[in-house]
Amino acid sequence: MARKTRCRLSVPLTAAFFGVSMICSSFMAPMQVHAEEASKVTSTEELTTFMDVIKRDGQIGHSEYSVNVFTEAKNGISFLVYDRKGEGSGATDNQDEAEEKVSEAFANVAMTTLTGDDYLNIRISPAIDAEVVGKLYAGGTAEIVEVDGDGGWTHIASGSVDGWVSSEYIVTGLDAEKLAFEVCDQIATVQADGLKVRETADPEGAVLNVVYQNETYKVLERQGEWVKIEVKAGQSGYVAAEFVSIELKTGKAISIAEELEAIRIQQEKEAEEARRAEQERQRRAAEQSAASSQATNNRVNVPTTTGPSTPANVDDAYLLACICRVEAGSYDGMLAVANVVLNRVRSGAFPGSVSGVIYQSGQFATGGTFQSYLANGPGGTAIQAANDALAGVNNVGGYLYFRSASTANTASYSSYTMIGGNCFYQR
């Protein structure tokens, strides 16, 4: 994630900040002595030395926190980087307070119990045949305006929608809160100027990254006083819970008019994407057509001939059948692939055995599909094509190379032929 522009403190101001904060806090007299020393700091080196003294004496802030100076090497600008250190009661108190606030936030909130792509109709009045004015999808929340207990309806307001929903399909209060934590993403907002992201939920864990104030990240897991966040694609780690605020990412109702507009915009987007895709298809087709016309003189029809047989053991014959099955889908195509393998065995420029040619790095598709055919058998057509090739039946002459016809650059080949969806060629 690109680093954002942040508030920058000069070294004297940073030192003064520590001095003022320690004097204003309810610390002991030794802390005030350190505050006076802090006011005299005038350089990054002195500030670092001063911080080391403070940390060694264990007299900065609360004992469960570790405060370090993070220096930007490019320009010497300093940030305060907070991190969890040890145990203390402050984090638990803050966590309890946050939970109370969350409960209060859901005191007058309703959520639908429907899941997936299902939605709850919001009607203009509390009646099953009343006009539908909006929809509340799974994960959406709404404010409760009033409840019609006798009729089983609840009047809600969410987003731009105001109307009635069946009380049968909603939960409220603490039940809504619990459901929200189950179905909605949690988003952590960094409260500290800089916060270390650790590999494990441990104050001694390796530091993976540093995140900054007001940045938001998806919460993956909560472990007591630690929160696991997704820092960026492929990287996640743990931060101290006391230095982030966590909110639920809930949805809002959507009106029928808004839904129709969203559908219209999506359809226009899809139509534009389809138009561009068709233009690209036509461009590629034109290029292929031009290349094909240019290479027409290089295309030849290779007659099928019968020549000397190639000796091979049972294992090599089986390998040959399996690679034919992977690389082609018809008998003619399989026969051609088998002959390319045998041409290579005889050429002197490739390994001198069937297995050596097939397993040569980067030449044939010997991955999962090939392994499956080895284990379960390649089928009768592939076995027949391999045996015929070993017996001397050849439909590609002396060609040593092939690739899918859809990716072949025929204009660059000295000669080629098309068989079974593949292009067999000489360079």
Side-chain angles (χ1 to χ4, degrees), residues 53-294:
V53 172
I54 293 298
K55 287 187 287 183
R56 185 179 65 242
D57 293 345
Q59 294 175 329
I60 181 165
H62 299 288
S63 61
E64 67 267 24
Y65 300 151
S66 170
V67 183
N68 306 296
V69 174
F70 175 80
T71 303
E72 180 73 37
K74 183 177 180 179
N75 52 23
I77 296 170
S78 299
F79 299 92
L80 300 182
V81 179
Y82 294 81
D83 192 22
R84 181 73 183 161
K85 181 180 181 182
E87 299 298 329
S89 60
T92 302
D93 294 339
N94 291 340
Q95 184 176 352
D96 292 341
E97 181 181 353
E99 290 175 355
E100 290 175 2
K101 289 181 179 179
V102 170
S103 298
E104 181 180 351
F106 275 82
N108 196 45
V109 166
M111 285 191 72
T112 177
T113 56
L114 298 176
T115 59
D117 294 329
D118 289 341
Y119 56 85
L120 181 60
N121 282 325
I122 305 173
R123 301 183 182 275
I124 198 170
S125 61
I128 192 65
D129 56 351
E131 177 188 354
V132 176
V133 294
K135 298 176 180 179
L136 186 64
Y137 283 86
T141 61
E143 178 186 356
I144 299 173
V145 179
E146 60 179 308
V147 178
D148 178 11
D150 295 336
W153 293 87
T154 300
H155 185 186
I156 64 168
S158 179
S160 64
V161 187
D162 186 291
W164 295 80
V165 296
S166 172
S167 301
E168 178 182 357
Y169 300 105
I170 62 170
V171 288
T172 61
L174 290 177
D175 289 334
E177 178 185 16
K178 292 177 182 178
L179 179 60
F181 275 99
E182 292 177 5
V183 302
C184 300
D185 287 339
Q186 299 178 54
I187 303 299
T189 301
V190 181
Q191 300 299 309
D193 182 57
L195 183 59
K196 292 178 181 178
V197 182
R198 296 191 176 272
E199 186 175 7
T200 57
D202 185 334
E204 302 302 324
V207 176
L208 301 176
N209 212 324
V210 176
V211 293
Y212 296 92
Q213 191 170 34
N214 296 326
E215 292 179 345
T216 58
Y217 299 93
K218 181 180 179 180
V219 174
L220 302 178
E221 184 181 350
R222 300 180 73 171
Q223 292 187 12
E225 296 176 345
W226 294 87
V227 177
K228 186 176 184 180
I229 62 173
E230 183 180 51
V231 182
K232 58 184 178 181
Q235 185 185 80
S236 60
Y238 295 86
V239 295
E242 60 264 43
F243 294 120
V244 297
S245 62
I246 298 178
E247 295 180 348
L248 288 166
K249 186 178 180 180
T250 58
K252 298 296 182 182
I254 183 171
S255 69
I256 298 302
E258 289 170 336
E259 183 175 55
L260 292 175
E261 177 63 12
I263 292 173
R264 183 191 66 79
I265 293 174
Q266 181 63 25
Q267 289 175 338
E268 289 183 352
K269 180 180 178 181
E270 291 175 354
E272 176 62 17
E273 290 176 350
R275 184 184 66 79
R276 291 181 179 178
E278 176 60 20
Q279 288 180 337
E280 178 64 13
R281 187 195 66 78
Q282 292 179 359
R283 183 187 67 79
R284 290 182 179 179
E287 289 180 351
Q288 290 177 357
S289 177
S292 178
S293 298
Q294 199 173 30

